[in-house]
Amino acid sequence: MVTTHVFIAVSLDGYIARQDGDIGWLLQRDDPTEDHGYAAFIADKEWIVMGRGSYEKVLTFDEWPYDRPVLVLSRQLADTPVPEALKGKVQFSRLSPKDVLNDLAAQSVQRVYIDGGQVIQSFLREGLVADIVITTVPVLLGSGKPLFGSLPQDIDLTLLSSRSFPSGLVQSHYRVRS
């Protein structure tokens, strides 16, 4: 069985990016001396599934940051070729979350990192997220791209742990109750 896991940062008012996709507010508060646990989190994940917005943001970085295969869920990109530099690293798909997990299960994949607001929301709506690590950044943006959208019903969470960092970031780890 494939399980999916979220590791994401949000502003105190719940946004993962400004409306134009800018995450400068997050990058300027990242203290490289603090270990926020990403390396430990990603260590046992075999695949990364993200949305087009996250993929396009990552393309603006100096170098491709992932050493695991990445599946980009996007109706817009699904019929386009993967850039030459990312062949063998990235795939595009228009599959539903459930179909993605079925395909990955057929490849014996067990643990997947889910990234990007729309993708996280779609996996949550279908009850396909095992746990969520949210790092809250002490800044109010006032508007932007929300981490969570409307839901057909409540999603109950169990707090597994919470910790604060000298920079003011607060990280909470939740298990999604099924």
Side-chain angles (χ1 to χ4, degrees):
M1 182 178 109
V2 179
T3 58
T4 65
H5 310 270
V6 173
F7 190 100
I8 197 159
V10 342
S11 65
L12 186 59
D13 50 355
Y15 298 106
I16 57 173
R18 294 191 188 280
Q19 203 57 51
D20 65 1
D22 177 66
I23 58 169
W25 58 273
L26 171 61
L27 299 176
Q28 73 188 30
R29 289 170 177 82
D30 184 31
D31 183 343
T33 66
E34 290 181 351
D35 178 5
H36 300 130
Y38 177 77
F41 168 84
I42 198 72
D44 66 351
K45 308 308 180 288
E46 300 155 274
W47 274 77
I48 299 169
V49 175
M50 67 176 58
R52 181 179 53 84
S54 296
Y55 167 72
E56 289 176 349
K57 177 50 68 181
V58 170
L59 287 178
T60 68
F61 297 170
D62 290 338
E63 59 185 48
W64 187 251
Y66 305 115
D67 62 357
R68 282 148 182 73
V70 173
L71 181 66
V72 179
L73 296 185
S74 168
R75 287 181 292 279
Q76 190 175 341
L77 294 175
D79 297 322
T80 64
V82 172
E84 197 60 41
L86 296 177
K87 285 199 172 162
K89 298 178 182 181
V90 173
Q91 296 174 27
F92 299 142
S93 173
R94 66 165 40 96
L95 291 176
S96 71
K98 187 170 278 192
D99 290 338
V100 164
L101 296 186
N102 288 337
D103 277 7
L104 292 174
Q107 299 172 52
S108 299
V109 172
Q110 294 183 343
R111 296 174 61 81
V112 176
Y113 167 30
I114 302 295
D115 194 22
Q118 295 294 318
V119 169
I120 292 168
Q121 290 172 29
S122 65
F123 275 76
L124 277 170
R125 277 193 299 273
E126 293 192 30
L128 300 173
V129 175
D131 66 328
I132 303 171
V133 177
I134 299 175
T135 303
T136 303
V137 180
V139 62
L140 299 172
L141 299 180
S143 67
K145 296 183 179 192
L147 174 55
F148 303 112
S150 63
L151 297 167
Q153 74 276 340
D154 293 353
I155 296 176
D156 291 321
L157 308 171
T158 299
L159 179 65
L160 300 177
S161 65
S162 188
R163 62 183 177 156
S164 61
F165 297 91
S167 64
L169 275 62
V170 176
Q171 187 175 80
S172 300
H173 183 184
Y174 299 93
R175 181 177 53 245
V176 179
R177 289 200 229 153
S178 43

